[in-house]
Amino acid sequence: MDADTIRLVRELCARAGMIMEDASATAVLTGKLDDGAVRLLVAQVSDELSKASTLVAAAKMLAGTP
């Protein structure tokens, strides 16, 4: 990999990590929520993790990782 590709892979992984960190903090709050709020929270966490997965998939492709 060239230097630009390595930088991009690192950036994608860092952004995915930040998303997962934020989603983790949000998920911890489920104990204080009613049923409707829990459903909304689950949908939000799912959306955020999908974004993180997309970033990781792009990083894998750039890095040539199976």
Side-chain angles (χ1 to χ4, degrees), residues 9-48:
V9 167
R10 289 178 178 156
E11 185 177 324
L12 290 168
C13 289
R15 288 183 182 185
M18 288 186 283
I19 289 171
M20 290 187 295
E21 184 178 356
D22 291 346
S24 173
T26 301
V28 170
L29 301 175
T30 59
K32 301 176 183 178
L33 302 175
D34 63 29
D35 290 355
V38 168
R39 287 185 190 94
L40 179 60
L41 179 77
V42 169
Q44 291 171 338
V45 170
S46 176
D47 290 345
E48 292 303 306

